[in-house]
Amino acid sequence: MRRQWILPSCMIAAMVVLTPTVFHTRSTPWAMGWVAILLGALAVQMLLMLVEYLAPAADRPKPDNVPGA
């Protein structure tokens, strides 16, 4: 089953777009927290994509079970 990545991707994109506004309107500790959350979200999404890439597909037949091979 393929995971849906549109919602996390949109959330990260919105955070990237809003980051300059955060730096101009908020205090430094608040902005550093914002950046930490943004980097954490990016790291988690990259790890999830790596796990999905490395995990074998459940519906894909193994090479020795392919008919006519």
Side-chain angles (χ1 to χ4, degrees), residues 18-56:
L18 292 173
T19 296
T21 305
V22 170
F23 280 125
H24 290 294
T25 61
R26 299 291 179 176
S27 65
T28 302
W30 201 92
M32 291 300 112
W34 177 272
V35 171
I37 291 170
L38 176 61
L39 293 176
L42 284 170
V44 167
Q45 187 165 6
M46 291 296 184
L47 286 173
L48 288 173
M49 290 171 64
L50 179 65
V51 166
E52 184 176 347
Y53 176 74
L54 294 176

